[in-house]
Amino acid sequence: MRRVAAVATSALAVLALSAPLAQAAPPEETLRSEAPRDLKIGSAVWGQNELLDYDRKNPTEFQRILAAEFNSVTPENDMKWAEIHPEPGVYDFSGADAVVAFAEANNMEVRGHTLLWHSQNPQWVVDASATWTCEEARAVLEEHITTVVSRYAGQIYEWDVANEIFQDDWDTGGVRLRTEANPFLKACAEDPVALIGDAFRWADAADPEALLFLNDYNAEGINNKTDAYYALVQELLADGVPIDGFGAQGHLSLMYGFDESIQENFERFAALGLKVAITEADVRMPLGEDGEPTAEQIALQAERYDAMLVACLNVPACTSFTVWGFDDGHSWVPGVFPEGYATIMTEEFEKKPAYYALLESLTDATPGKSPRTAPGLNR
Ligand code: 9MR
């Protein structure tokens, strides 16, 4: 009897040993596992839609991939005025809180987005702004920035303080501050730069740790708009404004060419002492009647994503690379353009060549192999 018992015990011991061995298979490589330590890899997510019911023991497929692939997350809409401040004096932090809680549960960081923008303002702002004096507009903006930034102080590493504050070449009047479309800049049109500077000061007072960014689209390469930003940054810095970074959103389309001057553009902002970032990358394209991209488009998309990442990797001041949603099921593109296939995974979370291109460049840039290894860079 004893002997039988001994055999049974050793069989159990073998089982007990083999279980952890089976689990010890090397973890799958992901974007976040391969990223250099001084570069955050992020995705936008709509907390209100995807994270409210987060149960870390039982994540949805979407949540599992988000946490596995990324170490930074940007609330796609939850921190915008219309969501977080729907009525005067009324704040709804539910979506934003869900994003921050998800990030903390998964050892991710949060990019705040955004505090001063001409779009997605609630109706009460639109209505009130019709008669605002600059003083009134300043008071409303200061109260909002102080409330939102203080709530998440210490939990947000980068804030897009001012978003899309310049018009484009093709807008009436060309590249200039949006003193018509942006209700706050409109009320303070006599000195919009003073208001922008104060927006950064209010954010800095509420969270001195966060890096404070300007952010815009069509701002990847050197062009009229980024020239205007370059001049504005110098003006703000000369005024002692606590501005830390310049973000290029990176919304590209294969309908247009690709501006190769992105690295050079990043370098000139870095030379002013700023951090830079790709904040909202996606690469959309017109699709055939079957709704599918061609093999050529798929390959070109991978090249464009990779070119943005490589520019960021090559400039040590580039702190974060964020995609604006990681799968086509959560992309803003189809609702707005007759284009699609803009993200790095299909609706079924199948990884596209663009995903693998990013993974490969991150792997190549692992500390020890890339220009990002300059002493002191890797936190
Ligand atoms: O992806 C966002 C989409 O869900 C919203 O409906 C839209 C409203 O304007 O904003 C989208 O995000 C924008 C971002 O906040 C700023 N840069 C452009 C992005 C795409 O429009």
Side-chain angles (χ1 to χ4, degrees):
M1 277 307 280
R2 264 199 194 147
R3 195 167 159 69
V4 171
V7 169
T9 311
S10 66
L12 273 179
V14 168
L15 265 181
L17 262 180
S18 61
L21 277 181
Q23 279 169 9
E28 205 190 328
E29 290 179 347
T30 65
L31 300 176
R32 78 180 273 180
S33 78
E34 297 311 293
R37 285 193 301 276
D38 58 347
L39 178 69
K40 295 285 167 225
I41 296 294
S43 175
V45 62
W46 197 333
Q48 196 70 42
N49 290 353
E50 295 299 338
L51 304 179
L52 283 188
D53 300 324
Y54 177 55
D55 169 3
R56 65 189 302 178
K57 296 208 182 94
N58 191 20
T60 63
E61 180 72 345
F62 173 90
Q63 292 164 348
R64 190 190 63 70
I65 297 171
L66 180 65
E69 294 288 346
F70 302 96
N71 53 18
S72 169
V73 70
T74 304
E76 183 167 352
N77 290 299
D78 307 279
M79 290 185 184
K80 291 174 180 172
W81 275 75
E83 303 293 321
I84 209 166
H85 196 170
E87 300 292 341
V90 176
Y91 286 87
D92 176 355
F93 295 112
S94 55
D97 282 358
V99 174
V100 173
F102 181 85
E104 286 187 350
N106 292 289
N107 197 19
M108 305 163 92
E109 295 198 44
V110 182
R111 281 200 96 252
H113 178 82
T114 180
L115 300 167
L116 171 62
W117 193 24
H118 64 279
S119 191
Q120 275 177 290
N121 287 310
Q123 194 56 42
W124 71 269
V125 165
V126 177
D127 293 345
S129 68
T131 58
W132 270 346
T133 62
C134 180
E135 270 317 291
E136 287 167 339
R138 285 172 54 85
V140 173
L141 187 62
E142 179 176 5
E143 190 271 338
H144 175 91
I145 290 180
T146 305
T147 304
V148 175
V149 177
S150 339
R151 180 174 181 92
Y152 301 109
Q155 295 174 299
I156 291 201
Y157 73 115
E158 292 176 354
W159 256 114
D160 289 331
V161 173
N163 192 42
E164 302 171 4
I165 53 173
F166 278 104
Q167 299 190 159
D168 291 281
D169 276 322
W170 53 83
D171 290 322
T172 313
V175 172
R176 57 177 175 76
L177 287 170
R178 284 192 202 266
T179 47
E180 279 142 34
N182 185 308
F184 300 94
L185 298 183
K186 185 176 182 182
C188 297
E190 275 184 22
D191 192 355
V193 176
L195 180 70
I196 293 163
D198 282 342
F200 279 85
R201 290 191 175 97
W202 296 325
D204 183 57
D207 185 357
E209 299 283 296
L211 295 176
L212 305 180
F213 274 65
L214 289 162
N215 187 52
D216 214 323
Y217 64 87
N218 190 24
E220 292 72 44
I222 294 184
N223 57 34
N224 288 338
K225 201 190 218 179
T226 55
D227 283 352
Y229 272 107
Y230 188 61
L232 175 67
V233 166
Q234 291 172 79
E235 192 179 342
L236 293 173
L237 289 174
D239 279 353
V241 172
I243 173 168
D244 303 299
F246 177 74
Q249 293 180 1
H251 291 294
L252 306 186
S253 167
L254 294 189
M255 287 175 77
Y256 311 109
F258 178 67
D259 189 333
E260 301 284 346
S261 62
I262 174 165
Q263 182 173 330
E264 207 184 321
N265 189 37
F266 274 179
E267 279 165 349
R268 68 173 171 164
F269 283 95
L272 296 178
L274 260 61
K275 304 292 186 196
V276 293
I278 298 281
T279 56
E280 308 183 11
D282 55 16
V283 183
R284 61 187 191 267
M285 62 196 73
L287 302 172
E289 273 178 18
D290 58 358
E292 298 294 330
T294 64
E296 203 184 9
Q297 285 176 311
I298 293 174
L300 193 54
Q301 179 188 53
E303 257 179 53
R304 297 264 161 96
Y305 264 106
D306 193 44
M308 288 195 274
L309 176 61
V310 168
C312 178
L313 286 168
N314 284 343
V315 180
C318 188
T319 50
S320 59
F321 178 92
T322 296
V323 295
W324 207 239
F326 62 85
D327 67 296
D328 286 340
H330 294 86
S331 169
W332 69 292
V333 166
V336 177
F337 298 95
E339 296 175 73
Y341 202 74
T343 70
I344 58 174
M345 293 186 201
T346 66
E347 265 183 58
E348 291 77 36
F349 305 121
E350 198 185 317
K351 295 167 180 165
K352 301 178 185 175
Y355 169 92
Y356 289 106
L358 297 181
L359 185 66
E360 194 180 329
S361 287
L362 290 172
T363 307
D364 289 350
T366 297
K369 286 193 205 161
S370 81
R372 296 182 71 83
T373 56
L377 274 181
N378 296 315
R379 287 180 269 174

